[in-house]
Amino acid sequence: LDADGCSQLLAFLASRPMAVSYEELREAGWEDWFGQLRNIEGVVFLEKGLSLTAELRKELVGLESG
């Protein structure tokens, strides 16, 4: 697990109120981390993009503000 890369992508996803499309994530160079994110509870793989559960989003936002 690439902790640094995954943490950056999780922070990006947490900063977005809605799901982020796979296209946008690929254009930003995040595609290599998709497989690793499957191992993280709370990351939601949707038909058109990635999102986070409310619980994970709340936890990540709490880390940034704490």
Side-chain angles (χ1 to χ4, degrees):
L1 185 69
D2 176 357
D4 289 334
C6 286
S7 67
Q8 290 175 24
L9 179 49
L10 287 171
F12 175 72
L13 292 171
S15 73
R16 303 289 293 273
M18 305 287 284
V20 181
S21 73
Y22 292 121
E23 181 180 337
E24 182 178 350
L25 292 167
R26 284 185 186 104
E27 289 174 0
W30 293 112
E31 188 172 10
D32 291 344
W33 286 268
F34 290 178
Q36 295 180 50
L37 290 183
R38 290 190 186 282
N39 298 313
I40 300 174
E41 187 176 336
V43 178
V44 181
F45 283 77
L46 303 168
E47 185 176 327
K48 295 187 178 189
L50 290 178
S51 189
L52 303 175
T53 61
E55 294 83 14
L56 180 56
R57 187 179 306 280
K58 182 179 177 182
E59 187 173 330
L60 292 172
V61 170
L63 290 173
E64 289 179 356
S65 63

